[in-house]
Amino acid sequence: MGDTFFRSPLRTAHGRFLVSLPPGGQLLVGTPDPGDHGSCVFFIQREKAGCWTRGSLELTATTEEELAIRWVTALQFWISHHGVTRPKSLLVFINPFGGCHKAVDIYRGQVASLFALAEIHTHVIETSRANEAREYILHQDLSIFDGLVSVGGDGTVNEVMHALIERTQRKAGVSEEDADAELLSPHLRIGIIPAGSTDCVCFATVGIADPVTSALHIIIGDSQPLDVCSLRHNGKLLRYSVSLAGYGFYGDVVSTSEKHRWMGPARYAYAGVKVVLSNRSYEGTVEFQEARLEEANPRDQTRCRSGCLVCSESSKHLLAGSEEATLSSSAGDPGGGWRRVQGRFLAVNVTAMSSACPKSPEGLSPCAHLADGTADLILVRKCSMLSFLRHLVRHTNCSDQFDLPFVSVHRVRAVRFTACKADDDTDGDPPEQAWKGLCGAKRREEPALSCWTCDGEALNHTDVSIRVHARLIHLFARGIERSNCTS
């Protein structure tokens, strides 16, 4: 072909070619490469902000075919030997209606090709109605799958998680209605491809809401245990929670947003502003069993990161069963490690993880741990609207949101909340009267009750009991590998 300015091998779907640019030419000239004994190695490379991408390295052996074969054989052996936790078959649920309605495009455009490249068999179900994923998980044979994948928002993750826990208990003969029962951990892991509005669970366990990064965690078979909270009313199971269970402010935000679903994701911002301006507080009694962990507390400035020592040490005690045994025995006795707080609260929050998200990089409780068998109870007492707004703003930066006189935080294993109706106010204060806003408009008297929200879903009951189930589920994740805030 004569002298060239450029020559390079090119791999295509039809084979390998040697591509050249002749002198003065404007078109590439390609010829089949007779010595195509090369291979391509794909690997993960870390980018900024915790993002993972797929890298590739081409190995060529143009003269010795046996050398190329030996390289490929050796690499495949080590991948098989060290990748025993890598999934080979996945059941994928895509919710096309969640978040910004981009789940299908995200999976097809960014994830499906990665699974195919890793030779992972996938059975994909694009859901068309609520609870379709739940019904499939409960009633179909899952023995051929190594894990479940949720493509959607936190609601889709929650549906998959609920169904998997319920299926596991049914098969083991464990009653979920027994408040003292020790729930069994499912053997299938859950993968999360973020495609929702907030993607809190993914962000708090991976450190970024990026579909490619999450897909690569699934491919290499990472495993991250996760604590789960059960919420009950009079002993009856209401829901499970992995992020936030909140009464007061967050309950009002969710219930208000439900009335404006036509607004899409913007309804949450609208509802948040409306609830902040109302500045409603609620009377109630909070009882909680504090975790007896000398090495960790909600304000020790530690962060739960990949390979967390706190979670690792806690698992040793939990496996011994000591903490689980003391929980049921002392649950009925407020004096057995239980404390009681009564008053008027703007918010009562229980979170088993930091509940971080892109808009709140440190989350509701920055020092909460993913798998230590505890949750953080955050009590925000009645205060002025500006004071509460100051508390909320600190969630968006690195300031200590607990360093305020009306906020307290406790690391707990169980919580009981009893709402106080208007007729039952024990402090003798009358219901709060209307006040005048900036334009002189009067506000109605505060309602006596709020509602609970559990991972974004409103509950109909106000009096609930919450228990932490240690390491109940496992995700295809490894925990956050970096710090979100820097001092």
Side-chain angles (χ1 to χ4, degrees):
M1 295 177 60
D3 295 330
T4 61
F5 292 108
F6 176 79
R7 173 173 292 186
S8 176
L10 175 66
R11 184 182 298 275
T12 72
H14 302 286
R16 179 184 168 94
F17 296 83
L18 290 177
V19 181
S20 303
L21 181 65
Q26 297 188 11
L27 295 176
L28 292 175
V29 177
T31 59
D33 182 6
D36 184 9
H37 306 310
S39 59
C40 193
V41 178
F42 297 97
F43 60 92
I44 293 172
Q45 52 189 12
R46 291 177 170 85
E47 304 290 349
K48 295 181 179 179
C51 185
W52 286 10
T53 59
R54 188 204 72 182
S56 62
L57 179 65
E58 188 171 3
L59 304 179
T60 58
T62 57
T63 58
E64 296 186 39
E65 182 177 359
E66 292 185 2
L67 178 62
I69 294 175
R70 289 202 301 269
W71 267 102
V72 172
T73 302
L75 287 171
Q76 289 178 338
F77 170 80
W78 284 106
I79 290 174
S80 175
H81 181 72
H82 293 285
V84 293
T85 62
R86 296 175 64 160
K88 297 180 176 60
S89 180
L90 295 171
L91 175 60
V92 181
F93 294 100
I94 304 177
N95 177 10
F97 306 106
C100 300
H101 304 274
K102 295 182 179 180
V104 175
D105 292 338
I106 287 175
Y107 181 78
R108 292 177 179 173
Q110 302 183 53
V111 177
S113 60
L114 291 175
F115 285 166
L117 189 62
E119 299 183 345
I120 297 176
H121 170 74
T122 57
H123 179 62
V124 180
I125 298 176
E126 186 176 324
T127 60
S128 58
R129 54 183 172 80
N131 292 318
E132 183 176 351
R134 176 181 181 274
E135 293 171 4
Y136 192 99
I137 293 171
L138 288 178
H139 301 115
Q140 299 300 318
D141 180 16
L142 306 182
S143 60
I144 65 173
F145 300 111
D146 301 314
L148 311 180
V149 176
S150 164
V151 186
D154 289 330
T156 310
V157 176
N158 212 271
E159 181 179 341
V160 171
M161 176 194 71
H162 273 77
L164 187 58
I165 294 175
E166 182 179 349
R167 176 189 175 95
T168 302
Q169 310 321 308
R170 283 187 183 182
K171 292 178 69 68
V174 177
S175 174
E176 291 183 288
E177 298 304 319
D178 183 358
D180 295 327
E182 184 174 350
L183 301 181
L184 299 182
S185 177
H187 73 276
L188 291 177
R189 287 167 288 175
I190 299 175
I192 304 174
I193 303 298
S197 305
T198 307
D199 299 312
C200 172
V201 180
C202 179
F203 194 92
T205 55
V206 177
I208 187 173
D210 175 62
V212 172
T213 300
S214 294
L216 293 174
H217 278 287
I218 295 171
I219 289 171
I220 66 176
D222 275 340
S223 183
Q224 171 63 54
L226 199 62
D227 297 334
V228 177
C229 293
S230 60
L231 281 75
R232 300 176 182 273
H233 172 72
N234 292 335
K236 179 179 176 58
L237 178 67
L238 300 177
R239 285 187 71 86
Y240 294 109
S241 169
V242 291
S243 55
L244 170 67
Y247 180 86
F249 174 74
Y250 289 104
D252 291 347
V253 169
V254 170
S255 61
T256 301
S257 68
E258 286 299 306
K259 302 173 185 177
H260 302 84
R261 295 191 67 87
W262 56 271
M263 297 177 65
R267 69 184 185 272
Y268 296 110
Y270 168 80
V273 171
K274 186 175 181 180
V275 175
V276 166
L277 292 176
S278 70
N279 197 41
R280 290 192 293 263
S281 60
Y282 303 93
E283 188 78 21
T285 301
V286 184
E287 299 171 278
F288 54 94
Q289 185 187 42
E290 285 194 296
R292 297 168 182 173
L293 297 175
E294 297 179 357
E295 67 276 14
N297 67 74
R299 299 190 65 185
D300 60 9
Q301 298 305 311
T302 63
R303 297 293 189 270
C304 188
R305 295 294 182 257
S306 182
C308 176
L309 294 178
V310 172
C311 294
S312 178
E313 289 297 320
S314 298
S315 67
K316 298 176 183 178
H317 302 292
L318 293 168
L319 289 174
S322 58
E323 294 291 346
E324 292 287 346
T326 58
L327 177 62
S328 59
S329 64
S330 62
D333 178 15
W338 286 71
R339 292 181 55 188
R340 174 181 296 186
V341 178
Q342 190 171 10
R344 185 170 285 276
F345 304 97
L346 271 82
V348 177
N349 301 322
V350 179
T351 178
M353 59 170 59
S354 67
S355 292
C357 66
K359 293 183 179 179
S360 178
E362 289 287 272
L364 293 178
S365 188
C367 299
H369 289 268
L370 296 175
D372 66 343
T374 71
D376 285 355
L377 168 66
I378 306 165
L379 302 177
V380 184
R381 291 183 176 270
K382 177 183 174 182
C383 61
S384 69
M385 182 185 69
L386 292 178
S387 295
F388 184 58
L389 187 59
R390 181 185 178 193
H391 168 66
L392 293 178
V393 168
R394 291 189 177 189
H395 289 82
T396 65
N397 53 46
C398 296
S399 300
D400 186 356
Q401 60 261 54
F402 304 137
D403 189 22
L404 295 167
F406 53 89
V407 180
S408 61
V409 58
H410 312 270
R411 186 144 291 171
V412 301
R413 296 196 183 278
V415 177
R416 289 195 297 261
F417 178 81
T418 305
C420 184
K421 282 69 175 177
D423 297 337
D424 301 330
D425 284 353
T426 57
D427 56 7
D429 293 336
E432 296 189 19
Q433 301 300 314
W435 53 271
K436 291 186 178 181
L438 295 177
C439 299
K442 288 188 175 182
R443 187 191 68 179
R444 295 178 297 177
E445 288 185 353
E446 291 197 8
L449 300 174
S450 177
C451 71
W452 281 90
T453 175
C454 178
D455 293 357
E457 298 292 330
L459 304 181
N460 294 325
H461 301 284
T462 56
D463 297 352
V464 302
S465 60
I466 303 173
R467 176 185 173 185
V468 183
H469 301 270
R471 309 165 75 89
L472 185 58
I473 63 172
H474 288 73
L475 304 182
F476 284 106
R478 63 171 57 179
I480 300 175
E481 294 186 303
R482 61 181 177 83
S483 297
N484 289 319
C485 279
T486 57
S487 55

